[in-house]
Amino acid sequence: MSTSSTLSRRLPFQAHPVDEVGIKERVARLATRSIKKSSKVEGLKLALSMVDLTTLEGADTPGRVRQLCTKAVHLHSGRTDLPMVAAVCVYPTMVRVAREALKGTPIKVAAVATAFPSGMNPLTVKLEDTRYAVGEGAHEIDMVISRGDFLRGDYGRVADEIAEVKKACGEAHLKVILETGELGTLDRVRLASDIAMEAGADFIKTSTGKIQPAATPEVVLVMLQAISDFYRKTGRKIGMKPAGGIANAKAALNLLVMVREVLGPDWLNPDLFRIGASKLPNDILMQLEKERTGVYQGGDYFSND
Amino acid sequence: MTKTSTTIGSDWGYAPAPESADHFKLKDQYGLFIGGKFVPAASGKRLKTINPANEKVIAEVADGGEKDVAKAVQAARTAYDKVWRKMSGRERGKYLYRIARIIQERARELAVVESMDGGKPIRESRDVDIPLAAAHFFYHAGWGDKLRYAFPGKSVSPIGVAGQIIPWNFPLLMVAWKVAPALACGNTVVLKPAETTPLTALLFSEICQEAGLPEGVFNLITGAGSTGAALVNHPGLDKVAFTGSTEVGKAIQKSLAGRGTRLTLELGGKAAHIIFEDATIDQAVEGIINGIYFNQGHVCCAGSRLLVQESVEEEVVTKLKARMESLIVGDPLDKNTDIGAINSKAQWDRIRDYLKIGEEEGAELFQTKCSVPEKGYWIRPSFFTRVAQSHRIVQEEIFGPVLAIQTFRTLNEALEKANNTPYGLSGGVWTDKGAKIFKVTRGIRAGVIWANTFNKFDPTSPFGGYKESGYGREGGRHGLRPYVELS
């Protein structure tokens, strides 16, 4: 599909205006929730179970991916009370390695596709990229939207592309990355969320992790509200995945608070909420060990994979 | 999506996170603060002040009478004549700055006491009441030596002794609203706090001592309504400032008639909160919550009448219900509490009466399903739909977490309904269109109108009402006017 039809170009997406000042206030208020003691420990474990443990480097090797998969299963030596992470997220060429390494575990393998991270390739290439990753065994596909088309106002084309990729996914679940750091305004974040959900996303995801800002609380809140509206309208529960820059336990707990108060407890599980991260688990582990032993341990007591 | 893991998250919640109250010690008994010293009431009578969240007595305070009022007014007069009026504005400002700083230093203690005595959630006393009280002193401290510039071309002098009566909804903040401008302009003060919430005003008296404020510049008489009447009826006052109910405000105005004592009144309200179909609905819902459930609805400028454009009524009401269910009602000292206790038994009874009246009038009541503690005075966040302009729950101020929801079709209809009330204190409008904001704000007769936000306060911004909401302004340059003589 080289050009989008006039019809789809004019697809009517109802604007849901967002007030940035109001969003900031709500974010600030949610950040004042006090999460202590048992609710902190439970919350941190819950967050671990939602992590998409990620490595997306040009320098990734099969060995490195295998290491990461081991970490995904055994987060910290000597602790048996910890959950496994939800998924491991890799480039398409590493999917097979990850599937092998995770055999026999419930951990999913997610692959970034569609010319990640820029999306600057023709749709045919993007679809082939997707089919390849699915063929290698990916359970989940993390695609990027075409920000250029979106910012130009060609919403129909963005929607069509998502729908095509969804088809190419087959059984695999589709996460649609909006790359909010390139969208500029919260109004656009909201519109892109609506388009992605209408076009067939199973999850909407903030960022690739390659661009800053990434998963700011403001962006997450706007996307959660979009999911809430979509659910009310269609009865379909769409998942949410903030990714990029979520490096500490406090930020993770804050995300859980936002999900709980905006979407409700139904969304507080890895089927509907994921956190894309690479460094986050170690900070959470540090906090959990502190809660267990009463003292903080240095970074060298936690494995870096 | 197939289940990838257990759904342990569905019951994840917040553990209790109570703010500790062991970093300070309240006295068992407090006296009146007259001439820089704490003294018992002449009658020896005392009142108990209780914690509305558990009905326990926190402390006993003196029940001031006519004799005490006379002593306090005399002390204020002496301080006015001998010290305060003669002092340079810059020197007066110095004391106000000191008071502001001590309020900040003792902020945590003041916040906890405010929540214990009045039932408001610690989140609000910590983040709103106490910081704003300090801000009012900072702001007015700056005016001390600049009054000439506030009223260009005029010669500015103080009025004399001010009698001030404040309500129980924002106890320390109302002390600041009243005392800071009065003192900055060179007047001295006799203040009576509300019967149910005297404690932070008493701590404020300690702060005045700590700041070295000259004796008699600030005096405090605790007591009930009769004490307030004794203060208003004292012939030695040059100025009376009252914040409270319209009923009492009218009585005060009657008793001052013909006496030449100046008066400002900040009374009740029944604000219209207008949501247009082009509003940012999620933020508007947040604004509605902030408008009516802030401080358990004990806010004179609360957005207690919601006017929603009919095309978005269903969406707004559905979202409002969902948001209300996430409000945490309970222990005011818990840092996660959104809605605290109703301030007193009397107010609790009054609100419950209105809930009954609303249902009897045929309106449909919605209340959240949250559980509330057994002891103490609690009302679940509530609203009425199917209400008419003639209903008492639309016309009268309830002063609780009870919202009346109506719809409108056109802008003019919204304005008509908004203005069809004896009150005129505040209002709110939500729309994405700037021009509409100006049309609405010009069309509503109210002292403050918020656009795309609600319940925002700042010392630089004047606050006050029209019609039965009173007259006179507090805050900003306008707020200095009632405390100065211009020539």
Side-chain angles (χ1 to χ4, degrees), chain A residues 16-19 22-23 25-26 29 32-40 42-43 45-46 49 86 106 108 140 173 175 190 203 225 229 232 253 256-257 260-261 265-266 268-272 274, chain B residues 1-17 123-124 126-127 278-283 286 289-290 315 318-319 322-323 326-328 335-338 430 432 452-453 456:
Chain A
H16 288 90
V18 176
D19 185 290
I23 290 287
E25 273 182 17
R26 180 92 173 99
R29 178 156 174 186
T32 62
R33 288 294 188 216
S34 182
I35 311 294
K36 295 266 182 309
K37 303 193 179 91
S38 63
S39 93
K40 182 174 176 183
E42 289 310 308
K45 287 183 184 172
L46 180 60
S49 77
K108 307 283 182 204
E140 302 170 358
H173 284 271
K175 305 193 197 106
R190 170 66 199 231
F203 263 72
Q225 287 174 342
D229 283 348
R232 215 179 25 261
L253 286 175
L256 297 187
V257 168
R260 186 175 185 270
E261 301 210 14
D266 282 5
L268 275 181
N269 66 71
D271 296 335
L272 287 170
R274 295 282 182 84
Chain B
M1 205 176 231
T2 51
K3 294 278 170 214
T4 50
S5 149
T6 54
T7 50
I8 49 169
S10 53
D11 55 0
W12 178 71
Y14 314 140
R123 186 178 63 78
E124 287 174 10
R126 179 195 66 201
D127 296 346
D278 57 11
T280 56
I281 299 294
D282 286 301
Q283 285 79 66
E286 207 51 37
I289 296 278
N290 189 30
E315 185 183 359
T318 309
K319 287 186 168 182
R323 176 68 180 94
S326 74
L327 291 171
I328 301 171
K335 285 177 257 187
N336 288 327
T337 293
D338 295 309
W430 290 79
D432 223 20
N452 293 339
T453 187
K456 284 279 176 303

Side-chain angles (χ1 to χ4, degrees), chain A residues 37-231:
Chain A
K37 303 193 179 91
S38 63
S39 93
K40 182 174 176 183
V41 171
E42 289 310 308
L44 290 175
K45 287 183 184 172
L46 180 60
L48 282 179
S49 77
M50 294 166 159
V51 167
D52 278 7
L53 199 57
T54 304
T55 181
L56 295 170
E57 304 296 331
D60 282 346
T61 60
R64 194 177 140 67
V65 169
R66 271 184 219 109
Q67 265 194 48
L68 195 75
C69 291
T70 311
K71 172 96 171 178
V73 181
H74 309 283
L75 278 166
H76 192 54
S77 59
R79 278 192 79 147
T80 54
D81 60 333
L82 300 178
M84 294 182 203
V85 302
V88 167
C89 183
V90 293
Y91 271 117
T93 49
M94 290 295 158
V95 168
R96 193 175 290 272
V97 179
R99 276 298 300 261
E100 273 292 317
L102 293 170
K103 199 177 278 174
T105 74
I107 299 173
K108 307 283 182 204
V109 174
V112 295
T114 71
F116 180 95
S118 69
M120 298 293 274
N121 263 335
L123 180 59
T124 49
V125 178
K126 292 180 184 178
L127 294 177
E128 192 46 46
D129 195 10
T130 307
R131 284 189 209 107
Y132 171 75
V134 173
E136 290 290 286
H139 302 103
E140 302 170 358
I141 297 294
D142 289 25
M143 73 167 286
V144 291
I145 64 165
S146 296
R147 280 87 77 190
D149 289 340
F150 179 84
L151 292 170
R152 221 174 19 247
D154 203 345
Y155 306 128
R157 188 168 171 141
V158 175
D160 290 347
E161 234 183 52
I162 296 169
E164 292 286 326
V165 174
K166 171 72 181 167
K167 256 188 260 167
C169 280
E171 291 291 296
H173 284 271
L174 177 63
K175 305 193 197 106
V176 177
I177 303 172
L178 312 180
E179 195 63 307
T180 53
E182 290 184 342
L183 300 186
T185 67
L186 293 178
D187 277 329
R188 290 207 194 105
V189 170
R190 170 66 199 231
L191 180 59
S193 305
D194 290 345
I195 291 171
M197 291 187 292
E198 292 284 353
D202 297 301
F203 263 72
I204 50 176
K205 174 175 169 184
T206 59
S207 323
T208 60
K210 305 289 183 193
I211 296 277
Q212 288 297 326
T216 63
E218 289 80 9
V219 157
V220 173
L221 179 57
V222 169
M223 291 170 71
L224 292 175
Q225 287 174 342
I227 291 173
S228 169
D229 283 348
F230 189 76
Y231 173 64

Side-chain angles (χ1 to χ4, degrees), chain B residues 167-211:
Chain B
W168 44 259
N169 54 346
F170 295 92
L172 184 70
L173 184 56
M174 290 301 110
V175 170
W177 278 34
K178 292 279 182 285
V179 175
L183 263 48
C185 294
N187 308 281
T188 57
V189 165
V190 178
L191 181 120
K192 192 200 88 73
E195 179 185 357
T196 59
T197 55
L199 290 180
T200 43
L202 286 157
L203 295 183
F204 177 79
S205 307
E206 289 179 6
I207 288 171
C208 290
Q209 278 182 326
E210 208 178 323

